Amino acid sequence: MVGTAYLEPEQGSAPFIEVGSRVAQGQTILSIEAMKTMNHIPASKAGTVTAILVTNGQPVEFGEPLAIIE
């Protein structure tokens, strides 16, 4: 396990993205906590979020797909 994925900036707040959201390249789409450090994960391209492949609090690994942006 590399870290834990979080879909919202803090518990109880609105998520960074939802299916159907339009995102800009570089926009934060989720955070991954690793070794007590929060790492913001940016969108690799602009587009529409068609799927979110992780759940809030899910452990994730290097190279694991997190979301689909078309």
Side-chain angles (χ1 to χ4, degrees):
M1 177 180 88
V2 170
T4 304
Y6 292 101
L7 303 178
E8 51 200 32
E10 53 187 51
Q11 190 173 13
S13 65
F16 289 108
I17 58 169
E18 297 176 331
V19 172
S21 297
R22 298 249 340 128
V23 295
Q25 182 175 3
Q27 177 181 337
T28 299
I29 59 170
L30 54 88
S31 290
I32 296 179
E33 179 185 10
M35 299 180 66
K36 307 275 186 205
T37 301
M38 296 302 282
N39 300 285
H40 297 284
I41 307 303
S44 58
K45 63 180 182 179
T48 302
V49 177
T50 57
I52 300 171
L53 306 175
V54 295
T55 58
N56 200 43
Q58 176 181 329
V60 293
E61 297 285 338
F62 281 117
E64 181 175 342
L66 304 170
I68 298 174
I69 300 172
E70 293 184 355

Short mmCIF file of all heavy atoms in Angstrom, two decimals:
data_model
loop_
_atom_site.label_atom_id
_atom_site.label_comp_id
_atom_site.label_asym_id
_atom_site.label_seq_id
_atom_site.Cartn_x
_atom_site.Cartn_y
_atom_site.Cartn_z
N MET A 1 0.84 -1.18 0.00
CA MET A 1 0.00 0.00 0.00
C MET A 1 0.89 1.25 0.00
O MET A 1 1.81 1.35 0.79
CB MET A 1 -0.91 0.00 1.22
CG MET A 1 -1.76 1.24 1.31
SD MET A 1 -2.84 1.30 2.74
CE MET A 1 -1.75 2.06 3.91
N VAL A 2 0.60 2.16 -0.89
CA VAL A 2 1.31 3.43 -0.96
C VAL A 2 0.66 4.46 -0.06
O VAL A 2 1.32 5.20 0.63
CB VAL A 2 1.37 3.94 -2.40
CG1 VAL A 2 1.89 5.35 -2.45
CG2 VAL A 2 2.23 3.02 -3.23
N GLY A 3 -0.67 4.52 -0.07
CA GLY A 3 -1.37 5.53 0.72
C GLY A 3 -2.85 5.28 0.73
O GLY A 3 -3.34 4.26 0.27
N THR A 4 -3.57 6.27 1.25
CA THR A 4 -5.02 6.21 1.35
C THR A 4 -5.61 7.35 0.55
O THR A 4 -5.20 8.51 0.72
CB THR A 4 -5.44 6.33 2.83
OG1 THR A 4 -4.79 5.29 3.58
CG2 THR A 4 -6.95 6.17 2.98
N ALA A 5 -6.57 7.05 -0.32
CA ALA A 5 -7.20 8.05 -1.17
C ALA A 5 -8.35 8.73 -0.42
O ALA A 5 -9.12 8.07 0.28
CB ALA A 5 -7.73 7.41 -2.45
N TYR A 6 -8.43 10.03 -0.59
CA TYR A 6 -9.54 10.80 -0.02
C TYR A 6 -10.15 11.65 -1.12
O TYR A 6 -9.45 12.35 -1.85
CB TYR A 6 -9.06 11.70 1.13
CG TYR A 6 -8.62 10.88 2.32
CD1 TYR A 6 -7.28 10.64 2.57
CD2 TYR A 6 -9.56 10.31 3.17
CE1 TYR A 6 -6.87 9.87 3.65
CE2 TYR A 6 -9.17 9.53 4.25
CZ TYR A 6 -7.83 9.32 4.48
OH TYR A 6 -7.43 8.54 5.54
N LEU A 7 -11.47 11.57 -1.25
CA LEU A 7 -12.18 12.26 -2.32
C LEU A 7 -12.64 13.65 -1.95
O LEU A 7 -13.16 14.39 -2.79
CB LEU A 7 -13.40 11.42 -2.75
CG LEU A 7 -13.08 9.99 -3.22
CD1 LEU A 7 -14.35 9.25 -3.56
CD2 LEU A 7 -12.13 10.01 -4.39
N GLU A 8 -12.46 14.04 -0.68
CA GLU A 8 -12.87 15.36 -0.22
C GLU A 8 -11.72 16.00 0.57
O GLU A 8 -10.92 15.29 1.17
CB GLU A 8 -14.14 15.27 0.62
CG GLU A 8 -14.04 14.25 1.71
CD GLU A 8 -15.38 13.77 2.25
OE1 GLU A 8 -16.36 13.71 1.50
OE2 GLU A 8 -15.42 13.46 3.45
N PRO A 9 -11.64 17.34 0.59
CA PRO A 9 -10.53 18.00 1.27
C PRO A 9 -10.51 17.74 2.77
O PRO A 9 -9.46 17.64 3.38
CB PRO A 9 -10.75 19.48 0.99
CG PRO A 9 -11.85 19.58 0.01
CD PRO A 9 -12.51 18.25 -0.11
N GLU A 10 -11.68 17.65 3.38
CA GLU A 10 -11.79 17.29 4.79
C GLU A 10 -13.12 16.60 5.01
O GLU A 10 -14.06 16.80 4.23
CB GLU A 10 -11.62 18.50 5.71
CG GLU A 10 -12.54 19.65 5.40
CD GLU A 10 -12.22 20.88 6.23
OE1 GLU A 10 -11.05 21.29 6.25
OE2 GLU A 10 -13.14 21.42 6.85
N GLN A 11 -13.19 15.80 6.04
CA GLN A 11 -14.40 14.99 6.28
C GLN A 11 -15.63 15.88 6.37
O GLN A 11 -15.63 16.90 7.06
CB GLN A 11 -14.23 14.19 7.56
CG GLN A 11 -15.30 13.17 7.76
CD GLN A 11 -15.03 12.27 8.95
OE1 GLN A 11 -14.17 12.56 9.77
NE2 GLN A 11 -15.75 11.21 9.04
N GLY A 12 -16.66 15.51 5.63
CA GLY A 12 -17.92 16.24 5.64
C GLY A 12 -18.02 17.37 4.64
O GLY A 12 -19.07 17.98 4.49
N SER A 13 -16.93 17.68 3.93
CA SER A 13 -16.98 18.76 2.94
C SER A 13 -17.33 18.19 1.56
O SER A 13 -17.38 16.97 1.37
CB SER A 13 -15.65 19.52 2.88
OG SER A 13 -14.62 18.68 2.43
N ALA A 14 -17.55 19.07 0.62
CA ALA A 14 -17.88 18.64 -0.75
C ALA A 14 -16.67 17.94 -1.36
O ALA A 14 -15.53 18.31 -1.10
CB ALA A 14 -18.26 19.85 -1.59
N PRO A 15 -16.91 16.91 -2.19
CA PRO A 15 -15.79 16.21 -2.83
C PRO A 15 -15.08 17.10 -3.84
O PRO A 15 -15.65 18.05 -4.36
CB PRO A 15 -16.46 15.02 -3.52
CG PRO A 15 -17.88 15.42 -3.70
CD PRO A 15 -18.20 16.36 -2.58
N PHE A 16 -13.81 16.75 -4.11
CA PHE A 16 -13.04 17.48 -5.12
C PHE A 16 -13.74 17.38 -6.48
O PHE A 16 -13.81 18.36 -7.21
CB PHE A 16 -11.63 16.89 -5.26
CG PHE A 16 -10.72 17.16 -4.10
CD1 PHE A 16 -10.37 16.15 -3.23
CD2 PHE A 16 -10.18 18.43 -3.89
CE1 PHE A 16 -9.51 16.39 -2.17
CE2 PHE A 16 -9.32 18.68 -2.83
CZ PHE A 16 -8.99 17.65 -1.96
N ILE A 17 -14.17 16.17 -6.84
CA ILE A 17 -14.83 15.93 -8.13
C ILE A 17 -16.00 14.96 -7.93
O ILE A 17 -16.07 14.25 -6.93
CB ILE A 17 -13.87 15.33 -9.18
CG1 ILE A 17 -13.27 14.00 -8.67
CG2 ILE A 17 -12.80 16.33 -9.57
CD1 ILE A 17 -12.52 13.20 -9.72
N GLU A 18 -16.88 14.94 -8.90
CA GLU A 18 -17.97 13.96 -8.98
C GLU A 18 -18.06 13.52 -10.43
O GLU A 18 -17.57 14.22 -11.33
CB GLU A 18 -19.29 14.58 -8.54
CG GLU A 18 -19.30 15.03 -7.09
CD GLU A 18 -20.59 15.73 -6.70
OE1 GLU A 18 -21.22 16.37 -7.57
OE2 GLU A 18 -20.95 15.64 -5.53
N VAL A 19 -18.68 12.39 -10.69
CA VAL A 19 -18.91 11.96 -12.07
C VAL A 19 -19.73 13.05 -12.76
O VAL A 19 -20.71 13.54 -12.21
CB VAL A 19 -19.63 10.60 -12.12
CG1 VAL A 19 -20.04 10.24 -13.54
CG2 VAL A 19 -18.74 9.51 -11.53
N GLY A 20 -19.26 13.47 -13.91
CA GLY A 20 -19.92 14.54 -14.66
C GLY A 20 -19.26 15.89 -14.48
O GLY A 20 -19.56 16.83 -15.20
N SER A 21 -18.36 16.01 -13.50
CA SER A 21 -17.64 17.27 -13.27
C SER A 21 -16.71 17.58 -14.43
O SER A 21 -16.09 16.69 -14.99
CB SER A 21 -16.78 17.19 -12.01
OG SER A 21 -17.53 16.99 -10.86
N ARG A 22 -16.61 18.86 -14.79
CA ARG A 22 -15.60 19.31 -15.75
C ARG A 22 -14.39 19.71 -14.95
O ARG A 22 -14.52 20.40 -13.93
CB ARG A 22 -16.11 20.49 -16.57
CG ARG A 22 -17.32 20.17 -17.40
CD ARG A 22 -17.20 20.13 -18.87
NE ARG A 22 -16.09 20.80 -19.50
CZ ARG A 22 -15.30 20.19 -20.39
NH1 ARG A 22 -15.48 18.92 -20.69
NH2 ARG A 22 -14.32 20.84 -20.97
N VAL A 23 -13.22 19.27 -15.37
CA VAL A 23 -11.97 19.60 -14.67
C VAL A 23 -10.98 20.23 -15.64
O VAL A 23 -11.01 19.95 -16.84
CB VAL A 23 -11.34 18.36 -13.99
CG1 VAL A 23 -12.24 17.83 -12.90
CG2 VAL A 23 -11.01 17.27 -14.99
N ALA A 24 -10.12 21.06 -15.09
CA ALA A 24 -9.04 21.67 -15.85
C ALA A 24 -7.76 20.88 -15.60
O ALA A 24 -7.61 20.27 -14.53
CB ALA A 24 -8.84 23.12 -15.42
N GLN A 25 -6.86 20.87 -16.55
CA GLN A 25 -5.58 20.20 -16.35
C GLN A 25 -4.90 20.83 -15.14
O GLN A 25 -4.85 22.05 -15.00
CB GLN A 25 -4.69 20.35 -17.58
CG GLN A 25 -3.37 19.63 -17.43
CD GLN A 25 -2.55 19.68 -18.71
OE1 GLN A 25 -2.93 20.30 -19.69
NE2 GLN A 25 -1.42 19.02 -18.69
N GLY A 26 -4.42 20.00 -14.23
CA GLY A 26 -3.75 20.47 -13.03
C GLY A 26 -4.66 20.68 -11.83
O GLY A 26 -4.19 20.87 -10.72
N GLN A 27 -5.97 20.63 -12.04
CA GLN A 27 -6.93 20.78 -10.95
C GLN A 27 -6.85 19.57 -10.02
O GLN A 27 -6.73 18.44 -10.49
CB GLN A 27 -8.34 20.91 -11.51
CG GLN A 27 -9.43 21.00 -10.47
CD GLN A 27 -10.81 21.09 -11.11
OE1 GLN A 27 -10.95 21.51 -12.27
NE2 GLN A 27 -11.83 20.69 -10.37
N THR A 28 -6.91 19.78 -8.71
CA THR A 28 -6.88 18.67 -7.76
C THR A 28 -8.14 17.83 -7.90
O THR A 28 -9.25 18.36 -7.86
CB THR A 28 -6.75 19.19 -6.31
OG1 THR A 28 -5.54 19.92 -6.18
CG2 THR A 28 -6.76 18.05 -5.31
N ILE A 29 -7.95 16.50 -8.08
CA ILE A 29 -9.11 15.60 -8.20
C ILE A 29 -9.30 14.74 -6.96
O ILE A 29 -10.38 14.22 -6.72
CB ILE A 29 -9.03 14.73 -9.47
CG1 ILE A 29 -7.76 13.87 -9.48
CG2 ILE A 29 -9.10 15.60 -10.72
CD1 ILE A 29 -7.74 12.82 -10.58
N LEU A 30 -8.23 14.57 -6.16
CA LEU A 30 -8.32 13.86 -4.89
C LEU A 30 -7.00 14.02 -4.16
O LEU A 30 -6.06 14.59 -4.68
CB LEU A 30 -8.67 12.38 -5.07
CG LEU A 30 -7.83 11.51 -5.99
CD1 LEU A 30 -6.65 10.91 -5.24
CD2 LEU A 30 -8.68 10.38 -6.52
N SER A 31 -6.95 13.55 -2.92
CA SER A 31 -5.72 13.58 -2.13
C SER A 31 -5.36 12.16 -1.74
O SER A 31 -6.24 11.32 -1.54
CB SER A 31 -5.91 14.40 -0.85
OG SER A 31 -6.05 15.75 -1.12
N ILE A 32 -4.06 11.92 -1.61
CA ILE A 32 -3.58 10.64 -1.11
C ILE A 32 -2.69 10.92 0.09
O ILE A 32 -1.74 11.70 0.00
CB ILE A 32 -2.81 9.85 -2.18
CG1 ILE A 32 -3.76 9.48 -3.33
CG2 ILE A 32 -2.17 8.60 -1.58
CD1 ILE A 32 -3.13 8.72 -4.46
N GLU A 33 -3.06 10.30 1.21
CA GLU A 33 -2.26 10.43 2.43
C GLU A 33 -1.23 9.32 2.44
O GLU A 33 -1.57 8.14 2.33
CB GLU A 33 -3.13 10.33 3.67
CG GLU A 33 -2.35 10.44 4.95
CD GLU A 33 -3.19 10.24 6.19
OE1 GLU A 33 -4.36 9.82 6.07
OE2 GLU A 33 -2.66 10.47 7.28
N ALA A 34 0.02 9.69 2.55
CA ALA A 34 1.12 8.73 2.63
C ALA A 34 2.10 9.24 3.68
O ALA A 34 2.55 10.38 3.60
CB ALA A 34 1.81 8.58 1.28
N MET A 35 2.38 8.41 4.64
CA MET A 35 3.32 8.76 5.72
C MET A 35 2.93 10.07 6.40
O MET A 35 3.76 10.96 6.60
CB MET A 35 4.74 8.78 5.19
CG MET A 35 5.20 7.45 4.63
SD MET A 35 6.88 7.45 4.01
CE MET A 35 7.78 7.72 5.53
N LYS A 36 1.63 10.23 6.69
CA LYS A 36 1.09 11.40 7.40
C LYS A 36 1.16 12.69 6.59
O LYS A 36 1.02 13.78 7.13
CB LYS A 36 1.78 11.60 8.75
CG LYS A 36 1.78 10.39 9.65
CD LYS A 36 0.52 10.31 10.43
CE LYS A 36 0.64 9.15 11.42
NZ LYS A 36 -0.58 8.62 11.80
N THR A 37 1.40 12.58 5.28
CA THR A 37 1.46 13.76 4.41
C THR A 37 0.35 13.65 3.37
O THR A 37 0.19 12.62 2.73
CB THR A 37 2.82 13.84 3.70
OG1 THR A 37 3.85 13.91 4.69
CG2 THR A 37 2.90 15.05 2.80
N MET A 38 -0.41 14.73 3.20
CA MET A 38 -1.46 14.76 2.19
C MET A 38 -0.86 15.24 0.87
O MET A 38 -0.22 16.29 0.81
CB MET A 38 -2.59 15.71 2.61
CG MET A 38 -3.31 15.26 3.86
SD MET A 38 -4.03 13.63 3.76
CE MET A 38 -5.48 13.94 2.80
N ASN A 39 -1.03 14.43 -0.17
CA ASN A 39 -0.52 14.74 -1.51
C ASN A 39 -1.70 14.98 -2.44
O ASN A 39 -2.51 14.07 -2.65
CB ASN A 39 0.32 13.56 -2.02
CG ASN A 39 1.48 13.27 -1.11
OD1 ASN A 39 2.46 13.98 -1.12
ND2 ASN A 39 1.36 12.22 -0.31
N HIS A 40 -1.80 16.19 -2.97
CA HIS A 40 -2.89 16.52 -3.88
C HIS A 40 -2.57 15.94 -5.25
O HIS A 40 -1.48 16.14 -5.78
CB HIS A 40 -3.10 18.03 -3.95
CG HIS A 40 -3.51 18.60 -2.63
ND1 HIS A 40 -4.78 18.47 -2.14
CD2 HIS A 40 -2.80 19.26 -1.70
CE1 HIS A 40 -4.85 19.05 -0.95
NE2 HIS A 40 -3.65 19.53 -0.66
N ILE A 41 -3.53 15.23 -5.83
CA ILE A 41 -3.35 14.59 -7.13
C ILE A 41 -4.07 15.45 -8.18
O ILE A 41 -5.28 15.63 -8.12
CB ILE A 41 -3.93 13.15 -7.12
CG1 ILE A 41 -3.34 12.34 -5.96
CG2 ILE A 41 -3.71 12.49 -8.47
CD1 ILE A 41 -1.83 12.25 -5.95
N PRO A 42 -3.31 15.96 -9.16
CA PRO A 42 -3.91 16.82 -10.19
C PRO A 42 -4.44 16.02 -11.38
O PRO A 42 -3.98 14.91 -11.66
CB PRO A 42 -2.73 17.69 -10.63
CG PRO A 42 -1.55 16.79 -10.45
CD PRO A 42 -1.85 15.93 -9.24
N ALA A 43 -5.41 16.61 -12.07
CA ALA A 43 -5.92 16.03 -13.31
C ALA A 43 -4.80 16.11 -14.36
O ALA A 43 -4.15 17.14 -14.50
CB ALA A 43 -7.13 16.80 -13.80
N SER A 44 -4.58 15.02 -15.06
CA SER A 44 -3.52 14.99 -16.08
C SER A 44 -3.94 15.70 -17.36
O SER A 44 -3.09 16.02 -18.20
CB SER A 44 -3.13 13.55 -16.39
OG SER A 44 -4.26 12.82 -16.84
N LYS A 45 -5.23 15.92 -17.52
CA LYS A 45 -5.74 16.63 -18.70
C LYS A 45 -7.09 17.25 -18.36
O LYS A 45 -7.71 16.90 -17.36
CB LYS A 45 -5.89 15.67 -19.88
CG LYS A 45 -6.91 14.56 -19.65
CD LYS A 45 -7.01 13.63 -20.86
CE LYS A 45 -8.06 12.56 -20.63
NZ LYS A 45 -8.18 11.68 -21.79
N ALA A 46 -7.54 18.17 -19.18
CA ALA A 46 -8.85 18.78 -19.01
C ALA A 46 -9.90 17.86 -19.61
O ALA A 46 -9.62 17.11 -20.54
CB ALA A 46 -8.87 20.14 -19.70
N GLY A 47 -11.10 17.90 -19.06
CA GLY A 47 -12.18 17.09 -19.61
C GLY A 47 -13.29 16.89 -18.60
O GLY A 47 -13.40 17.62 -17.61
N THR A 48 -14.08 15.86 -18.83
CA THR A 48 -15.21 15.51 -17.97
C THR A 48 -14.91 14.21 -17.26
O THR A 48 -14.48 13.23 -17.88
CB THR A 48 -16.50 15.36 -18.81
OG1 THR A 48 -16.74 16.59 -19.50
CG2 THR A 48 -17.70 15.03 -17.93
N VAL A 49 -15.16 14.18 -15.96
CA VAL A 49 -14.96 12.97 -15.16
C VAL A 49 -16.08 11.99 -15.51
O VAL A 49 -17.26 12.29 -15.33
CB VAL A 49 -14.98 13.28 -13.65
CG1 VAL A 49 -14.84 12.00 -12.83
CG2 VAL A 49 -13.91 14.28 -13.29
N THR A 50 -15.71 10.82 -16.05
CA THR A 50 -16.71 9.82 -16.42
C THR A 50 -16.78 8.68 -15.41
O THR A 50 -17.77 7.96 -15.38
CB THR A 50 -16.44 9.24 -17.82
OG1 THR A 50 -15.14 8.68 -17.86
CG2 THR A 50 -16.56 10.32 -18.89
N ALA A 51 -15.74 8.53 -14.58
CA ALA A 51 -15.76 7.49 -13.54
C ALA A 51 -14.73 7.83 -12.47
O ALA A 51 -13.68 8.38 -12.77
CB ALA A 51 -15.45 6.12 -14.14
N ILE A 52 -15.07 7.51 -11.24
CA ILE A 52 -14.14 7.59 -10.12
C ILE A 52 -13.92 6.16 -9.67
O ILE A 52 -14.87 5.46 -9.32
CB ILE A 52 -14.69 8.46 -8.98
CG1 ILE A 52 -14.96 9.88 -9.51
CG2 ILE A 52 -13.72 8.49 -7.80
CD1 ILE A 52 -15.70 10.78 -8.55
N LEU A 53 -12.68 5.70 -9.75
CA LEU A 53 -12.38 4.27 -9.58
C LEU A 53 -11.97 3.89 -8.17
O LEU A 53 -11.68 2.71 -7.93
CB LEU A 53 -11.28 3.87 -10.58
CG LEU A 53 -11.58 4.21 -12.04
CD1 LEU A 53 -10.39 3.88 -12.92
CD2 LEU A 53 -12.83 3.49 -12.52
N VAL A 54 -11.94 4.85 -7.25
CA VAL A 54 -11.60 4.56 -5.86
C VAL A 54 -12.70 5.12 -4.97
O VAL A 54 -13.46 6.00 -5.39
CB VAL A 54 -10.23 5.16 -5.45
CG1 VAL A 54 -9.10 4.52 -6.22
CG2 VAL A 54 -10.20 6.67 -5.64
N THR A 55 -12.76 4.61 -3.75
CA THR A 55 -13.72 5.14 -2.77
C THR A 55 -12.96 5.92 -1.71
O THR A 55 -11.76 5.78 -1.55
CB THR A 55 -14.52 4.00 -2.11
OG1 THR A 55 -13.61 3.10 -1.48
CG2 THR A 55 -15.36 3.26 -3.13
N ASN A 56 -13.68 6.75 -1.00
CA ASN A 56 -13.08 7.55 0.06
C ASN A 56 -12.49 6.64 1.13
O ASN A 56 -13.17 5.75 1.64
CB ASN A 56 -14.12 8.50 0.65
CG ASN A 56 -13.51 9.66 1.38
OD1 ASN A 56 -12.56 10.26 0.89
ND2 ASN A 56 -14.04 9.97 2.53
N GLY A 57 -11.22 6.82 1.45
CA GLY A 57 -10.56 6.02 2.48
C GLY A 57 -9.97 4.72 1.98
O GLY A 57 -9.46 3.92 2.76
N GLN A 58 -10.00 4.50 0.67
CA GLN A 58 -9.49 3.25 0.09
C GLN A 58 -7.97 3.27 -0.01
O GLN A 58 -7.39 4.25 -0.46
CB GLN A 58 -10.09 3.06 -1.31
CG GLN A 58 -9.56 1.85 -2.04
CD GLN A 58 -10.17 1.69 -3.43
OE1 GLN A 58 -11.30 2.08 -3.65
NE2 GLN A 58 -9.41 1.14 -4.35
N PRO A 59 -7.29 2.19 0.37
CA PRO A 59 -5.84 2.10 0.14
C PRO A 59 -5.56 2.02 -1.36
O PRO A 59 -6.31 1.38 -2.10
CB PRO A 59 -5.44 0.79 0.82
CG PRO A 59 -6.58 0.42 1.70
CD PRO A 59 -7.80 1.05 1.11
N VAL A 60 -4.50 2.69 -1.80
CA VAL A 60 -4.13 2.69 -3.22
C VAL A 60 -2.64 2.38 -3.38
O VAL A 60 -1.87 2.53 -2.45
CB VAL A 60 -4.46 4.05 -3.90
CG1 VAL A 60 -5.96 4.27 -3.96
CG2 VAL A 60 -3.78 5.21 -3.19
N GLU A 61 -2.27 1.95 -4.58
CA GLU A 61 -0.90 1.56 -4.92
C GLU A 61 -0.37 2.46 -6.03
O GLU A 61 -1.13 3.11 -6.74
CB GLU A 61 -0.88 0.11 -5.43
CG GLU A 61 -1.31 -0.93 -4.42
CD GLU A 61 -0.25 -1.21 -3.37
OE1 GLU A 61 0.95 -0.93 -3.62
OE2 GLU A 61 -0.61 -1.68 -2.29
N PHE A 62 0.95 2.47 -6.23
CA PHE A 62 1.56 3.17 -7.36
C PHE A 62 0.97 2.66 -8.66
O PHE A 62 0.78 1.46 -8.84
CB PHE A 62 3.08 2.93 -7.41
CG PHE A 62 3.85 3.77 -6.44
CD1 PHE A 62 4.58 3.18 -5.43
CD2 PHE A 62 3.87 5.15 -6.54
CE1 PHE A 62 5.31 3.93 -4.53
CE2 PHE A 62 4.60 5.93 -5.65
CZ PHE A 62 5.31 5.31 -4.65
N GLY A 63 0.67 3.57 -9.58
CA GLY A 63 0.21 3.20 -10.90
C GLY A 63 -1.25 2.80 -10.98
O GLY A 63 -1.75 2.50 -12.06
N GLU A 64 -1.96 2.79 -9.87
CA GLU A 64 -3.38 2.39 -9.86
C GLU A 64 -4.22 3.50 -10.47
O GLU A 64 -4.06 4.67 -10.11
CB GLU A 64 -3.82 2.12 -8.42
CG GLU A 64 -5.26 1.67 -8.30
CD GLU A 64 -5.61 1.30 -6.87
OE1 GLU A 64 -4.72 1.06 -6.05
OE2 GLU A 64 -6.82 1.24 -6.58
N PRO A 65 -5.11 3.19 -11.42
CA PRO A 65 -5.99 4.22 -11.98
C PRO A 65 -6.95 4.73 -10.90
O PRO A 65 -7.49 3.94 -10.13
CB PRO A 65 -6.75 3.52 -13.11
CG PRO A 65 -6.35 2.10 -13.08
CD PRO A 65 -5.32 1.88 -12.03
N LEU A 66 -7.13 6.04 -10.85
CA LEU A 66 -7.95 6.64 -9.81
C LEU A 66 -9.27 7.19 -10.34
O LEU A 66 -10.30 7.13 -9.67
CB LEU A 66 -7.16 7.76 -9.13
CG LEU A 66 -5.80 7.36 -8.55
CD1 LEU A 66 -5.02 8.58 -8.12
CD2 LEU A 66 -5.98 6.37 -7.42
N ALA A 67 -9.22 7.75 -11.55
CA ALA A 67 -10.42 8.31 -12.17
C ALA A 67 -10.23 8.31 -13.68
O ALA A 67 -9.10 8.25 -14.18
CB ALA A 67 -10.66 9.75 -11.69
N ILE A 68 -11.36 8.37 -14.39
CA ILE A 68 -11.32 8.45 -15.85
C ILE A 68 -11.82 9.82 -16.26
O ILE A 68 -12.92 10.23 -15.86
CB ILE A 68 -12.14 7.34 -16.51
CG1 ILE A 68 -11.56 5.98 -16.13
CG2 ILE A 68 -12.19 7.52 -18.02
CD1 ILE A 68 -12.38 4.80 -16.60
N ILE A 69 -11.01 10.53 -17.03
CA ILE A 69 -11.36 11.85 -17.53
C ILE A 69 -11.32 11.79 -19.05
O ILE A 69 -10.32 11.42 -19.63
CB ILE A 69 -10.37 12.92 -17.02
CG1 ILE A 69 -10.39 12.96 -15.48
CG2 ILE A 69 -10.70 14.29 -17.61
CD1 ILE A 69 -9.32 13.84 -14.88
N GLU A 70 -12.43 12.11 -19.67
CA GLU A 70 -12.50 12.07 -21.13
C GLU A 70 -12.69 13.46 -21.68
O GLU A 70 -13.18 14.34 -21.05
CB GLU A 70 -13.66 11.19 -21.59
CG GLU A 70 -13.43 9.74 -21.24
CD GLU A 70 -14.52 8.82 -21.77
OE1 GLU A 70 -15.50 9.30 -22.33
OE2 GLU A 70 -14.37 7.63 -21.59
#
